[in-house]
Amino acid sequence: MYIVLSIVSALIGGGMSWIIRLELAEPGIQFIQDPQLYNVMVTAHGLIMVFFVVMPGLIGGFGNWFVPLMIGAPDMAFPRMNNISFWLLAAALCLLVTAGLTGTGPGTGWTFYPPLSNSTFHSGPAVDFGILSLHLAGASSILGAINFITTILNMRAPGMTMHRMPLFVWSMLVTAFLLLLAVPVLAGALTMLLTDRNFGTTFFAPEGGGDPVLWQHLFWFFGHPEVYIMIIPAFGIISQVVSTFSKKPVFGYLGMAYAMVAIGFIGFVVWAHHMYTVGLDVNTRAYFVLATMIIAVPTGIKIFSWLATMWGGSIEFKTPMLFATGFIALFVVGGVTGVVLANAGLDVQLQDTYYVIAHFHYVLSVAAVFALTTGFYYWIGKMSGRQYPETLGKIHFWLTFVGVNVLFFPQHFLGVAGMPRRIPDYPDAFAGWNMISSIGALITALGTLLFLFIVWRTMAAGKAAEPNPWGVGATTLEWSVPSPAPFHTHEELPRVSAQPAE
Amino acid sequence: MFRNFPSVSALATVALMAACGTAFADQPYPWQIDLQPAASAVAEQVREFNYLISVIIVAISVFVLVLMAYIAWRFNAKRNPVPSKRAHNTVLEVLWTALPVLILVVIAVPSLKLLYVMDRNPAAEMTIKAVGHQWYWSYEYPDHDDFTFDSIMVPDDQLQPGQPRLLAVDNEVVLPIETDVRILVTSDDVIHSWAVPSFGIKTDAVPGRVNETWVRIRREGTYYGQCSELCGVNHGYMPIAVRAVSRQAFDEWTAAAKEKFARADGGGTRVAGRTATTTAR
Ligand SMILES: [Cu+2]
């Protein structure tokens, strides 16, 4: 269910991004005559991708399905809560679409910065719909997080100690805690914005003693952990897949698990690196520079541990493994540009330019989508009972990998040259790299069409999947049950003695 | 449009060079992959720091990607049918934790130095104030009888030859070279951001706050930037243009400007500038 919702949203959000890229292919206005419509597209693309593609796909979809399987539990702790959580999300998506179609829509960016998002500059109900949509999505996430924490802490099979849990389960546990701590802050901030808009409060309005920068602090206190909420489950999937196809246990298991815990923890104390230009005190900025750079250390541990897992392995490059290696490559490129952006002195040049766009699309958006795709190919046999077509999968990988690099790499250059983000038209000097970037979007679009075809092929005519199609490397519990996995798996609790992840 | 862009921008560049008599293009140029040429000592330091960090990150990326390619070739199932069982190597794990820390220290030291240098300059010789509006900038010169004017983008159909599209404005901010100028930035509606890449400046214009930055411009020329915080419908159409002139020319310009423009406090005569507040588009 979650995965279907995620794919449908991906088509909407992706479709918007292609329209954006077409608009930006050449200087001058191409066909979006109203810049407000362009801003609404940018806003909706961001919100849909974050809240309705990556989160439901990675957490709702793969998490709900495979956490219980991997720890030897029959199902999640609270199946009904899970159901509510899904329908809240569906309702939230409907609200967001309503917001986009109401009046002139919310043209605020996904960050909803006031005063632009207040009732003076966005009158009409569009922004209110957007806020309510995020409220519902947030409630859905919190319910999901509680469910995960309960399941993982209480429902492990005998012998499945914390330090024997597969890394994907660890990643979901860390993610659930991040959600539980970060989302309420967003909910609070959204409520304050809502009362500012409708009931005359002035939390973020200077004329009433409020401060627009307060919104940014609250938003990014949620927003930075949010990026780890999206990427840590991806770490988990990649760890499983790399280990399976290298036919080796994960290298440095404990380091990997605690690197995720460390990333999650530090993620809460670096939020203001999104705000280097708002006029923070210089000592404050210096602190955020240092804190942000420290994240590179646990992240480096993860990258090197994946490589060390592959080292000495007997690697089979099936489609999931291709996407996993692609993920690591993209993540490295996006990671080093993150270190660049951490430096407030240089970030002043790059803040709000296409460099930032390139950075977060590499580390987060495309990498997270690669992880989603990896998970899809890895587990589709287990979920549907049918295996995907291997050759088409490989073509899909190469099309997408080339496409996203052509799409996003030139944006680094645009950013360094100073092209601001969120503009529908740009000075003529930026034309060259924008054209190339739009060509990349076209290649990626072809890849996506191919993916839709693959999904259809798999469902309609895929070969029946064996319980374990991957051979000796696949050691986690989900491969010990038939494909597709029955509704209540592990009715009799499996006993775990060997360490599954190590 | 794409086919004729090289000629348009070439024309613009040539005309600009002719206009201000400098070999630098203080605006973006086609296929640019580097920061814009520096026009102040701070921007120069930003550029140097950018080179340092670019070398480091390219080296790291190439190292990791080459290593990955080697692993994919050497430990392919065909070449290496029997996997090893090794899952620990304490020395290696300590090494790849400690080395990144060292690299980060190498980056952090110049980074923090730069941050403190660019922050503010207590010894400024003059002050101007930039105020963001939906969707244009206005400027005030408190040290020169407090005159003020609006700076509005020139629409596409009114561009003069040599004026860059989406960057040129009707009234440029004029500043003297070799002078420490304090720049106060604020807004009277939503958040905007005042950015001039050649100066190494980007400062948000936040309503209810006054942010401070500074510049000492080294050479004459016209410098362009764009509003860098989403501020509504015409966010893409409120550029920043600064014309740097000699101190003498600046004095002449301020003398004329006092006559031409109204005062920020509403006193004096209201002419030009203030009355021309039609939106750019
Ligand atoms: Cu603006």
Side-chain angles (χ1 to χ4, degrees):
Chain A
M1 293 276 262
Y2 280 106
I3 292 172
V4 172
L5 180 99
S6 168
I7 293 181
V8 170
S9 311
L11 292 179
I12 305 175
M16 288 181 169
S17 66
W18 287 312
I19 295 173
I20 294 170
R21 252 350 295 172
L22 282 175
E23 173 59 50
L24 291 173
E26 298 177 358
I29 292 293
Q30 315 306 325
F31 49 88
I32 303 181
Q33 294 301 331
D34 179 5
Q36 173 70 10
L37 180 61
Y38 180 85
N39 292 345
V40 172
M41 291 274 213
V42 169
T43 309
H45 164 73
L47 289 172
I48 288 180
M49 287 304 196
V50 169
F51 289 96
F52 301 102
V53 178
V54 175
M55 287 173 67
L58 286 176
I59 305 171
F62 295 134
N64 278 318
W65 208 308
F66 289 103
V67 163
L69 279 179
M70 282 179 160
I71 60 173
D75 194 351
M76 295 292 283
F78 310 113
R80 275 163 206 251
M81 196 157 95
N82 210 342
N83 199 6
I84 294 176
S85 167
F86 174 79
W87 287 109
L88 278 178
L89 198 67
L93 182 60
C94 294
L95 267 176
L96 185 67
V97 173
T98 314
L101 300 175
T102 309
T104 53
T108 57
W110 81 287
T111 48
F112 283 110
Y113 279 6
L116 185 59
S117 58
N118 71 16
S119 49
T120 317
F121 298 102
H122 264 90
S123 54
V127 173
D128 298 310
F129 277 126
I131 292 173
L132 291 173
S133 162
L134 290 195
H135 261 312
L136 288 191
S140 154
S141 303
I142 293 175
L143 291 180
I146 295 170
N147 207 348
F148 275 116
I149 294 175
T150 318
T151 310
I152 296 173
L153 293 186
N154 292 324
M155 294 178 63
R156 278 170 286 129
M160 175 66 78
T161 60
M162 291 296 277
H163 284 173
R164 285 180 183 172
M165 291 192 318
L167 283 174
F168 180 67
V169 180
W170 263 106
S171 76
M172 292 309 305
L173 185 63
V174 174
T175 306
F177 272 105
L178 292 184
L179 278 169
L180 201 61
L181 295 173
V183 173
V185 177
L186 175 71
L190 285 170
T191 308
M192 287 155 83
L193 187 59
L194 204 61
T195 61
D196 264 19
R197 287 178 56 81
N198 296 301
F199 307 116
T201 57
T202 55
F203 292 111
F204 308 122
E207 57 273 22
D211 186 353
V213 175
L214 173 63
W215 166 266
Q216 299 188 19
H217 280 294
L218 293 173
F219 182 86
W220 287 117
F221 187 82
F222 150 79
H224 198 76
E226 169 68 21
V227 306
Y228 296 120
I229 287 167
M230 289 187 277
I231 206 65
I232 287 182
F235 289 164
I237 293 180
I238 301 302
S239 297
Q240 304 304 142
V241 170
V242 165
S243 157
T244 296
F245 290 92
S246 305
K247 307 195 189 79
K248 270 183 69 195
V250 173
F251 188 95
Y253 168 82
L254 280 184
M256 288 292 253
Y258 285 100
M260 286 192 284
V261 177
I263 292 173
F265 185 78
I266 307 173
F268 275 104
V269 294
V270 297
W271 73 91
H273 65 212
H274 298 268
M275 304 162 55
Y276 283 145
T277 59
V278 301
L280 295 175
D281 179 72
V282 67
N283 294 320
T284 313
R285 275 176 284 161
Y287 157 73
F288 279 105
V289 170
L290 296 177
T292 304
M293 291 210 293
I294 290 174
I295 296 185
V297 178
T299 317
I301 293 179
K302 296 208 71 78
I303 302 261
F304 289 121
S305 297
W306 284 322
L307 292 185
T309 306
M310 290 162 72
W311 187 277
S314 175
I315 310 170
E316 269 184 86
F317 282 98
K318 296 263 176 61
T319 309
M321 186 60 184
L322 280 177
F323 271 97
T325 2
F327 170 93
I328 301 175
L330 293 170
F331 196 77
V332 168
V333 175
V336 290
T337 55
V339 176
V340 174
L341 288 169
N343 296 284
L346 182 53
D347 179 69
V348 162
Q349 288 285 313
L350 304 173
Q351 166 80 8
D352 260 301
T353 68
Y354 264 77
Y355 197 92
V356 176
I357 306 274
H359 158 70
F360 75 71
H361 277 96
Y362 262 93
V363 268
L364 174 63
S365 320
V366 177
V369 169
F370 264 55
L372 273 173
T373 323
T374 306
F376 175 83
Y377 285 118
Y378 185 56
W379 281 319
I380 186 66
K382 184 59 57 186
M383 294 191 294
S384 70
R386 289 175 185 275
Q387 219 32 337
Y388 65 91
E390 185 66 49
T391 318
L392 286 180
K394 284 183 176 160
I395 299 175
H396 173 217
F397 166 76
W398 286 110
L399 264 181
T400 316
F401 189 71
V402 171
V404 294
N405 277 295
V406 175
L407 169 54
F408 291 112
F409 204 80
Q411 297 187 357
H412 291 117
F413 302 141
L414 287 172
V416 169
M419 177 172 165
R421 63 194 284 198
R422 295 167 169 168
I423 53 175
D425 189 8
Y426 44 81
D428 303 336
F430 298 130
W433 292 124
N434 269 303
M435 187 71 203
I436 294 197
S437 181
S438 292
I439 293 171
L442 201 69
I443 302 174
T444 315
L446 286 180
T448 309
L449 289 180
L450 179 62
F451 176 66
L452 288 180
F453 177 73
I454 292 174
V455 173
W456 173 78
R457 255 315 285 256
T458 309
M459 297 305 164
K463 276 185 299 192
E466 307 142 44
N468 176 8
W470 309 126
V472 291
T475 53
T476 40
L477 280 177
E478 80 266 32
W479 305 113
S480 65
V481 299
S483 304
F487 268 117
H488 267 93
T489 41
H490 306 309
E491 294 278 18
E492 281 172 45
L493 290 179
R495 293 216 150 258
V496 183
S497 47
Q499 298 197 348
E502 208 169 353
Chain B
M1 195 69 198
F2 181 62
R3 256 171 285 114
N4 60 22
F5 104 82
S7 59
V8 172
S9 57
L11 188 76
T13 318
V14 170
L16 183 87
M17 285 179 187
C20 51
T22 159
F24 295 97
D26 295 311
Q27 54 172 301
Y29 50 87
W31 304 108
Q32 182 177 348
I33 60 166
D34 187 10
L35 293 171
Q36 284 174 38
S40 73
V42 167
E44 191 66 57
Q45 282 188 32
V46 173
R47 276 172 69 89
E48 278 163 19
F49 180 69
N50 184 44
Y51 287 134
L52 169 77
I53 200 165
S54 298
V55 169
I56 294 177
I57 64 167
V58 169
I60 294 175
S61 310
V62 169
F63 169 71
V64 176
L65 295 180
V66 167
L67 190 64
M68 259 177 77
Y70 173 77
I71 292 173
W73 169 78
R74 174 66 186 78
F75 297 106
N76 203 300
K78 283 182 215 114
R79 187 172 289 272
N80 195 38
V82 184
S84 86
K85 282 282 160 231
R86 179 161 206 157
H88 282 291
N89 185 331
T90 313
V91 178
L92 210 58
E93 286 178 61
V94 169
L95 204 67
W96 70 46
T97 310
L99 263 181
V101 173
L102 274 180
I103 298 176
L104 288 178
V105 171
V106 171
I107 297 174
V109 171
S111 169
L112 291 183
K113 247 192 221 161
L114 172 65
L115 180 62
Y116 279 87
V117 167
M118 70 198 308
D119 182 41
R120 57 184 60 190
N121 182 346
E125 295 162 72
M126 64 169 277
T127 302
I128 64 160
K129 191 170 168 189
V131 186
H133 309 266
Q134 281 182 324
W135 289 275
Y136 62 94
W137 293 92
S138 69
Y139 297 93
E140 294 169 18
Y141 283 68
D143 298 341
H144 303 86
D145 282 2
D146 212 10
F147 65 82
T148 179
F149 58 87
D150 296 334
S151 183
I152 295 168
M153 188 188 85
V154 180
D156 288 7
D157 51 6
Q158 290 167 32
L159 282 172
Q160 304 296 316
Q163 284 187 321
R165 200 175 68 86
L166 300 180
L167 293 176
V169 299
D170 56 353
N171 293 310
E172 289 148 351
V173 202
V174 178
L175 290 177
I177 58 165
E178 296 302 342
T179 309
D180 288 348
V181 182
R182 176 187 291 128
I183 303 169
L184 303 177
V185 184
T186 187
S187 164
D188 76 348
D189 42 45
V190 302
I191 303 175
H192 304 268
S193 187
W194 198 83
V196 183
S198 295
F199 298 167
I201 290 181
K202 185 174 289 149
T203 301
D204 287 2
V206 185
R209 286 190 174 213
V210 179
N211 283 332
E212 180 182 335
T213 184
W214 69 282
V215 68
R216 184 181 182 92
I217 310 170
R218 285 172 171 173
R219 50 189 166 75
E220 297 180 24
T222 309
Y223 303 90
Y224 294 99
Q226 292 173 275
C227 176
S228 298
E229 182 61 65
L230 179 61
C231 58
V233 179
N234 289 329
H235 162 57
Y237 308 98
M238 50 179 293
I240 295 120
V242 180
R243 190 164 85 239
V245 298
S246 68
R247 283 178 170 227
Q248 194 196 349
F250 178 73
D251 291 338
E252 286 161 19
W253 178 81
T254 44
K258 281 177 205 167
E259 298 299 313
K260 189 176 164 202
F261 298 123
R263 286 179 42 173
D265 57 13
T269 43
R270 278 185 162 266
V271 253
R274 269 285 153 172
T275 50
T277 11
T278 45
T279 31
R281 282 171 55 85

